[in-house]
Every structure is written in structure tokens, then in C-alpha cells.
Amino acid sequence: MKRSSLGIAGACLGVQLLVVYGLLSVLYVCSPKPSALGALLWGGAIVAVLTGLIFYIFMRLMERERHSREVRYRRVVEFLPEPVVVHQAFRMLYANAAAAAIVGEDSAAALKGRMIYDYIHPGDVQRMLDRILRLKESGLPTEIDETRLVSKNGGTVYVEVTSTMIDYDGTEAVLTSVRDVTEQRLAEQRIDEHRRLIDRVLEAQLDGILLCDQDGVILFANERFLSFFHCGDLTGRTLAESYRSLEWGLEADPYFLERMTAYARGHAPGFQEKYELHRPEATLHIEVHGIPITNVTRQGNRRETLFVFRDRSSEERVNVLKNELISTVSHEMRTPLASIQGFVEILLTRELTPEKTNHYLGTVHREALRLGRLIEDFLDIQHMEQGKLAYRKERIDAAVLLKEVARQWRGKQKHAVQLSVEGDRCFVLADSGRLRQAVNQLISNAIKYSPDADRVDIRLAAAGDTVALSVRDYGLGIPDAAKPQLFSKFYRIDNSDSRQSGGAGLGLAIVKSIVEAHNGTIVLDSEPGKGSTFTIRLPRHSRLDDAAEFAV
């Protein structure tokens, strides 16, 4: 029986007892022969009346106390900072002020009579209905569940809810308490966004990144690291497991893993290693740095370690080129300076015939010119890299320019420089001085690298919108392996025949830069032992293009 009915039931029982014993008393009084039994009945009637009255009064007091406790409970609930809702058949019977505030209503009265799913996010309605149905079937309070509310203004509120069955004004209802966790969820979302941003930053790094905890368990490895060692996802594996299964290229250093693990555990003051990772296609120069990280968790501070695997291969190549440059420049400058110094010393200390004097002065002059060209090449390279090399372009006849160049080389060496021109009107928009410099460099290289030949062919042809200028020699040729780097600064073919020819390795880099500044291209066709052909292609210039002439 419900508590709200106890008072009424007690009152009814007392009235029934009073009526029964009242009738018995009447029978006793009206009886012509009163007896001891009648007296007993009369006394019982009096006791029954008194008992019924006492029971009635007691139950009324209990009802009043229950009502008082309910009023106090509602007042407490009303002022709770957390929302509380009582609902029956999904219709709200009661809501406190906090419940109204969380969904943006002006007062709790606005919620009374509304359906609870009016304020549930559409994506969470079915889960909420299933939870209430399970509650009614089991009668046990539900576990804390997270759901989303939709406020009056359309905003989303993240909450945790729990429900239980209660008696509400004599009927069975559901009490649901709510805790607003919106700030917590938004903070978690921001943390997740920051974590994803950090992951994207780490993935975009050119260095390999490996993060592990103090037990050596790998927490993260970016794509660059995985590509270094040709492996898949390593998350959850230990350093020792990955070291044994991956191609770390550290066979020559068995203690690398030991040092790495010791640093991860905090047993070493620092970690910086360098080693070579040998691959079939190339050798990578790897530098590894260890960086300690303190991860603050609910369980306390936990040490994690970030290992950065940096590919220093390009820097090593630059160092090699720098060393070669120093060696080459020293050699190239020492040779003419030694010649100049030697012949000047002879001229100063000896009495020579006019013929020998002129011969020695000519040698000094040639070596001085050679030294000057070397310095000019270095200055040109510097200006090209800084974008300060000046070009004054004008409409010129390429055939006339090549004839002048070929004439300059005539009689200066044993090679015959032969020019052939196909077609006419081979006009280009160019800086004649720079274009002449490029052609002279190609002819000089052709003579230098064909010591056993006696000719160099220059061919000029115009076809469509292009003028093609080619220089061919019949000398050493260029190996296929050297072709990709042939136009790089300071690059020289690594063989004895080429090394004997000298040079700083700047000529072809300068030629390519000049050609590209004229919107042209240069290509190579070479076969070792049969010679090489360098072909420059420039845009053909017509009279209609005169308006485009300008100075750079």
C-alpha cells in the first residue's frame, strides 16, 4: 500500500471497528436481560472507539510528517546546482531551476508537461529511450551515461545523466539527475584538435620522429621514420622488438640499442649519435638526438622521450663539395700563379734573348688570363645565385655571332672549329656577350675533353619558333652516371682522363644559367669513347617581336 493511502486506510479501519462495536453495544442495551457478555461487549466497544481514534490520529501525523519531508526535499532539490527532472511516460512532471537554465528556459514551469525528448539531441534520442525502458524493466538505477541536450537557442549541451525509479505523489515515476560536462568536453575537443595538429606537424617533419615511454614502448612514429626503415606501424612495440626486426643499419654498433634504452629510462645524461644507413640505392647519413619530455597525467608525471632521426646526407654532400671546391680552387689557382711566379723570377734574374723574353712574357700573359677567367667564373656564379647577373638583350643574328666565335678560335689550337648554318634568319633575342661566353665555354670543353681529336663541329639551324645551336666533339664522351649532375656547380667527372684536364667544375653550370636566362634549354647527347654534343635551343625572334626588346 502506498504511503499516501495509509492515513485513509487507518481512518477507515477505525470507523469500521467503531460501527461494529457500536452495534454490539446497542444490542446489549436493548437486551431485556443484560449479562456479563453484554458488559464485555460494551467495554470492548469503548476500547475499539478509542483505538480507532488513536490509530487515525497516528496515521494523520505520519501523513503530515511525510508531506513535510517531501516539501523539504523539494526545496532542497529546487536549489540544487545540478539539474533534476521527474518524468512519467517521458513527460516531465517536475524540474528544478537548474534544469530550466541548462536548456535555456526562463523558469522551471516552462518544462512542466513537456516531453523530455524535445530537449534531447536527435542523435541521442533512441539511446535515451532504450535506457529508460531498461530502467523500468530492471528497477535498478542506470549507470552514468553521456548524452547531448539541445537548448532553446539551438546550442548543444554535453551532459552526464543517471536515472532511478521513485514514488512521486503516489505514482511511479523516473527521477533523472543531470551534470553539465560541456566545458570538460569542449576542453577535451580542444586537446584533441591540438593533438591532431601536433600529429600533422610531426608527420610533416623532414626528420624521422620516434616517441617512446620510459619502458621503451613506442607511442608514435611518423611517416618519415617509417620510410627510413621500411616498416609499418610500430605503436605498442618496444625498442628492442623493433630494433631486431627493422633495418636500422647498425650492425657495426651492437651497443646503440643499449644506449638508446638507457636514455629513455633516464639513466643517461644525453643522447646524440651519428651513423650511416646503407641502402642499395644510396647511403644515408643519420644523426639521432634524444629529447626528454615530461607527460603530466592523473597518475602523476611520466617521462617520455622523443628521438629525432635527421638525414644529414645532403649536408654531407655539401661538405664533400666544399672540400672538393677548396681542393680544386687551390689547385687551379696554384698552377697559373706558380707559372707566373716562375717566369717572372727568370725574367728578373737572368739575361735573356728578346725571343725568350717574349716567349716567357707570353706565358705569363696566358696564365694571368687563365687566372682571371677562373676568378670571373666564381664571380659569375655568385651573381647568378644572387640574381644580380645583368643581361642586356637585343635582336641579334646567331649566325653572325657564331662566325665571329669560330674565327676567334682559329689557329689557337690544333683543333679545327668548323661551323655549318642551315636555313636563314636565325635571329634571337639575347645578350650577345653572355651568349658568346656560353658558346666559348662549350668549345673550350670540347677541345679540352677530346685531346686525340682534331676538330670541333658547330651547327646552327632554325626550325619553326626555335633556333638550335650545337657544339660537338669527338673525344672522351660522358658516362651515363655523370649526366644527371653534369650541370651542377663544382662537379667534375671522376676519372683520370677528365681530372687531368683540370677545371673548377663551374663552366657548364654557368652555361646552363645563361641559357635559362634566355628562356632556352640545353641538352646533352653523349656516348663514352665517341664524343659529346651539347645543344642549346633558344626562342626564334622575328621583326614582329621587336617591341618586346628590352634591357635586363
Side-chain angles (χ1 to χ4, degrees), residues 368-512:
L369 292 176
R370 177 183 171 185
L371 186 59
R373 285 194 298 269
L374 181 62
I375 295 174
E376 288 177 2
D377 285 347
F378 278 113
L379 292 176
D380 284 345
I381 283 292
Q382 183 183 18
H383 292 156
M384 289 174 183
E385 290 182 343
Q386 296 175 351
K388 297 180 180 180
L389 193 62
Y391 292 90
R392 183 170 185 82
K393 298 179 182 178
E394 58 185 353
R395 185 172 185 266
I396 62 174
D397 189 342
V400 174
L401 184 142
L402 291 182
K403 289 176 181 177
E404 294 175 356
V405 170
R407 189 180 306 115
Q408 292 173 359
W409 284 93
R410 191 173 300 158
K412 292 186 177 181
Q413 67 290 313
K414 68 174 184 177
H415 292 70
V417 179
Q418 299 180 359
L419 171 65
S420 63
V421 178
E422 299 178 9
D424 56 357
R425 301 185 60 80
C426 297
F427 291 97
V428 294
L429 186 65
D431 183 319
S432 60
R434 293 299 178 185
L435 186 57
R436 190 189 306 270
Q437 178 183 355
V439 175
N440 279 326
Q441 182 64 58
L442 293 179
I443 295 174
S444 175
N445 287 355
I447 294 172
K448 185 186 302 182
Y449 293 105
S450 59
D452 298 330
D454 59 359
R455 55 182 279 200
V456 172
D457 292 337
I458 304 177
R459 179 176 176 270
L460 179 66
D465 297 332
T466 304
V467 174
L469 184 164
S470 61
V471 177
R472 179 182 181 184
D473 66 64
Y474 301 89
L476 303 174
I478 298 172
D480 292 338
K483 291 178 182 178
Q485 304 180 65
L486 194 62
F487 294 96
S488 301
K489 296 185 293 293
F490 310 115
Y491 179 76
R492 294 190 298 170
I493 299 174
D494 191 12
N495 61 54
S496 58
D497 293 333
S498 298
R499 290 291 184 182
Q500 290 175 358
S501 301
L506 297 175
L508 290 179
I510 294 174
V511 171
K512 182 180 179 182

Side-chain angles (χ1 to χ4, degrees), residues 36 78 118 132 135 144 157 194 211 244 248 250 275 279 283 387 402 443 454 481 517 527 530 547:
E78 182 64 33
D118 291 342
I132 299 300
L135 169 65
I144 295 177
V157 183
H194 292 161
L211 178 67
R244 286 192 295 266
W248 287 56
L250 290 164
Y275 70 94
R279 291 282 183 255
T283 296
L402 291 182
I443 295 174
D454 59 359
E527 184 176 351
K530 295 186 178 181

Side-chain angles (χ1 to χ4, degrees), residues 17 71 186 347:
L17 291 173
V71 170
L186 292 178
L347 291 171

Side-chain angles (χ1 to χ4, degrees), residues 31 78 162 183 204 224 273 282 339 344 386 407 418 421:
S31 172
E78 182 64 33
T162 183
E183 290 296 330
R224 182 63 170 168
E273 302 279 343
S339 297
V344 168
Q386 296 175 351
R407 189 180 306 115
Q418 299 180 359
V421 178

Side-chain angles (χ1 to χ4, degrees), residues 164 220 312:
T164 188
F220 173 81
R312 299 182 61 257

Side-chain angles (χ1 to χ4, degrees), residues 251-459:
E251 297 82 0
D253 188 356
Y255 300 106
F256 180 85
L257 175 62
E258 182 179 333
R259 295 193 299 272
M260 192 174 184
T261 304
Y263 183 75
R265 292 176 177 172
H267 299 161
F271 186 87
Q272 183 174 356
E273 302 279 343
K274 293 181 180 180
Y275 70 94
E276 294 182 357
L277 179 59
H278 299 286
R279 291 282 183 255
E281 64 277 8
T283 296
L284 302 181
H285 296 266
I286 305 298
E287 184 176 47
V288 187
H289 292 270
I291 304 171
I293 298 174
T294 301
N295 186 12
V296 181
T297 66
R298 293 180 179 178
Q299 293 74 31
N301 296 343
R302 184 173 177 83
R303 177 188 172 95
E304 295 177 356
T305 305
L306 191 71
F307 290 101
V308 181
F309 289 72
R310 184 164 171 252
D311 184 3
R312 299 182 61 257
S313 302
S314 59
E315 296 178 16
E316 289 295 327
R317 287 193 292 270
V318 170
N319 288 335
V320 171
L321 288 176
K322 180 181 69 174
N323 293 334
E324 289 187 353
L325 169 63
I326 294 173
S327 175
T328 300
V329 172
S330 300
H331 178 270
E332 291 299 317
M333 296 186 71
R334 185 186 299 114
T335 302
L337 284 175
S339 297
I340 293 174
Q341 182 180 359
F343 284 110
V344 168
E345 185 177 348
I346 292 174
L347 291 171
L348 291 175
T349 58
R350 297 184 185 180
E351 293 291 337
L352 304 174
T353 62
E355 292 78 8
K356 285 189 176 183
T357 300
N358 291 333
H359 173 71
Y360 290 162
L361 288 174
T363 301
V364 170
H365 181 255
R366 287 193 300 273
E367 294 301 327
L369 292 176
R370 177 183 171 185
L371 186 59
R373 285 194 298 269
L374 181 62
I375 295 174
E376 288 177 2
D377 285 347
F378 278 113
L379 292 176
D380 284 345
I381 283 292
Q382 183 183 18
H383 292 156
M384 289 174 183
E385 290 182 343
Q386 296 175 351
K388 297 180 180 180
L389 193 62
Y391 292 90
R392 183 170 185 82
K393 298 179 182 178
E394 58 185 353
R395 185 172 185 266
I396 62 174
D397 189 342
V400 174
L401 184 142
L402 291 182
K403 289 176 181 177
E404 294 175 356
V405 170
R407 189 180 306 115
Q408 292 173 359
W409 284 93
R410 191 173 300 158
K412 292 186 177 181
Q413 67 290 313
K414 68 174 184 177
H415 292 70
V417 179
Q418 299 180 359
L419 171 65
S420 63
V421 178
E422 299 178 9
D424 56 357
R425 301 185 60 80
C426 297
F427 291 97
V428 294
L429 186 65
D431 183 319
S432 60
R434 293 299 178 185
L435 186 57
R436 190 189 306 270
Q437 178 183 355
V439 175
N440 279 326
Q441 182 64 58
L442 293 179
I443 295 174
S444 175
N445 287 355
I447 294 172
K448 185 186 302 182
Y449 293 105
S450 59
D452 298 330
D454 59 359
R455 55 182 279 200
V456 172
D457 292 337
I458 304 177
R459 179 176 176 270

